[in-house]
Amino acid sequence: MKIPLNRSETTTADEAAVLTSLRSGHQHGDGPFTKSCEKWFEENLGCARALLTNSGTDALEMAMLLAGIEPGDEVIMPSFTFVSTANAVALRGATPVFVDIRRDTLNIDEDLIESAITSKTKAIVPVHYAGIGCAMDRINAIAAKHNLQVIEDAAHASVANYGGKPLGSLGRMAAFSFHQTKNLSCGEGGALIVNDPGLIERAEILREKGTNRKAFARGEVDKYTWIDIGSSYLIPDFVSALLSSKLHRSRAITAARLRIFDRYNASLERFAYKGLLQLPHVPLDCQGNAHIFYMILPSPDIRDALQKALARDRIQASSHYIPLHSAPGAAGRTRVSGRMVVTDRVADTILRLPVYESLSFAEQSFVIEKVEAFFDGLTQSRMVSNRERELEMMP
Ligand SMILES: *Cc1c(COP(=O)(O)O)cnc(C)c1O
């Protein structure tokens, strides 16, 4: 039995949607499947406009263009995130400014944001790690006070809520990812969510290579031409077709993942009580989507030992981000605000367990047994070494 960290299933409905699209003859962007996916997001998020892109990275790049991020500007974000969050800013010649994360949710620590703000700060990019919402009320209040824009990196956050509202609907803009490893996936894909209606027109132009082709297609202008800077961020319609099929099943996919998440939590809780690990924390005002199930181990050595033990049983458990502030690409183009204590500690001690819709009950039982066996062994060896210590101290 081999259990990967992620596995993506293709249903016959997925295959049928792609085939329908291919046979329709519309293979390029902005076709009927793309539009129906965008409508889904507009209905489910209540956003002004959703625009599908080739990737979450594309959506973040578009967001930084729309936000008017320029050389000399600063954008606040966590260091514990994927490279694209920072690259979208660095590509504009602006500076990503890293702030430490919270111990409990691993999201940007809202208490540290204000001390990172300077006269150059233009935006804050909260990353909803593992699909658990950042403290958006606080973050939006800080942004309003300092006249900053909020752009949610919602790459992990499809079908998750904060304060009863969907993640992705809370910033001026948001970026979703439909990469194969994400909850809703079409291989490679993304969406830019525009919550400020004033940005819609320019967003459409940027995505269409800087032309007004979209307005032309709607019959609003009689020629289409170069209007602004832009690029080709459009997703092929048969890729959107795969996404549309996933959106139809989004509730089922999320429910299946949450069952797995809850079972890991319930099974491993006893080790958390003993202080042997930290389990994911979902604040009361958040509804997660089980994008990631992680454990924070007491030390890097224990994390590595558990990862190796699981690998011997052909279970793929993975660490996560190398903090961006210590990555080679950060040199000379980023700034660190304050200490990165939690970020560094989490990066060294986090381990993610397999979560995917088709992970069977028996497969998950196997994973849990192996994790339990590891901890039971660990507590025994610890007890032994404690006793040895006691014995040494005896007169
Ligand atoms: C996956 C991811 C992205 C990028 O999405 P792609 O679709 O792979 O380009 C950006 N930010 C975070 C936090 C991610 O996990």
Side-chain angles (χ1 to χ4, degrees), residues 120-140:
K120 297 174 185 169
T121 310
K122 290 284 151 42
I124 305 169
V125 186
V127 179
H128 305 301
Y129 184 76
I132 294 164
C134 296
M136 291 306 292
D137 285 347
R138 252 317 273 303
I139 292 170
N140 277 330

Side-chain angles (χ1 to χ4, degrees), residues 78-320:
S79 169
F80 191 66
T81 181
F82 189 62
V83 60
S84 296
T85 322
N87 247 340
V89 172
L91 275 168
R92 304 265 53 78
T95 305
V97 174
F98 300 124
V99 164
D100 208 0
I101 51 173
R102 285 167 50 148
R103 284 166 201 283
D104 57 352
T105 57
L106 317 191
N107 282 330
I108 190 166
D109 189 337
E110 63 276 11
D111 288 337
L112 302 177
I113 291 176
E114 279 198 290
S115 59
I117 295 174
T118 69
S119 58
K120 297 174 185 169
T121 310
K122 290 284 151 42
I124 305 169
V125 186
V127 179
H128 305 301
Y129 184 76
I132 294 164
C134 296
M136 291 306 292
D137 285 347
R138 252 317 273 303
I139 292 170
N140 277 330
I142 293 167
K145 182 174 154 200
H146 297 273
N147 198 21
L148 307 175
Q149 309 181 54
V150 174
I151 298 161
E152 300 173 71
D153 183 334
H156 295 186
S158 301
V159 198
N161 284 344
Y162 167 86
K165 293 186 195 125
L167 295 178
S169 72
L170 303 160
R172 191 178 189 209
M173 288 173 269
F176 283 107
S177 168
F178 313 119
H179 183 267
Q180 179 154 5
T181 52
K182 303 292 163 48
N183 286 20
L184 304 176
S185 94
C186 57
E188 299 276 0
L192 174 73
I193 303 301
V194 181
N195 291 313
D196 175 352
L199 295 172
I200 297 174
E201 195 184 338
R202 187 158 190 239
E204 290 178 345
I205 291 168
L206 289 180
R207 189 178 62 158
E208 269 288 10
K209 301 102 184 160
T211 74
N212 58 349
R213 186 174 183 162
K214 185 89 184 159
F216 174 73
R218 283 196 293 258
E220 292 164 13
V221 291
D222 56 14
K223 287 195 187 71
Y224 91 86
T225 186
W226 188 19
I227 302 280
D228 196 345
I229 56 168
S231 192
S232 184
Y233 295 118
L234 290 154
I235 185 169
D237 212 48
F238 55 91
V239 182
S240 300
L242 179 53
L243 181 65
S244 78
S245 179
K246 294 287 168 67
L247 295 180
H248 275 298
R249 299 200 314 107
S250 64
R251 274 170 217 284
I253 292 170
T254 309
R257 297 183 72 105
L258 283 168
R259 271 196 299 278
I260 292 164
F261 184 95
D262 290 345
R263 186 168 169 227
Y264 276 138
N265 254 330
S267 308
L268 301 176
E269 217 169 19
R270 63 186 174 103
F271 300 112
Y273 284 133
K274 289 185 189 159
L276 291 172
L277 53 76
Q278 178 191 320
L279 294 172
H281 170 69
V282 185
L284 281 178
D285 51 4
C286 289
Q287 206 181 315
N289 61 4
H291 176 53
I292 291 169
F293 184 86
Y294 67 79
M295 301 177 290
I296 310 280
L297 285 311
S299 74
D301 288 349
I302 295 176
R303 189 268 305 267
D304 296 349
L306 175 53
Q307 185 175 21
K308 284 199 191 89
L310 293 173
R312 278 194 293 274
D313 288 309
R314 290 160 53 84
I315 297 165
Q316 188 191 11
S318 300
S319 59
H320 211 180

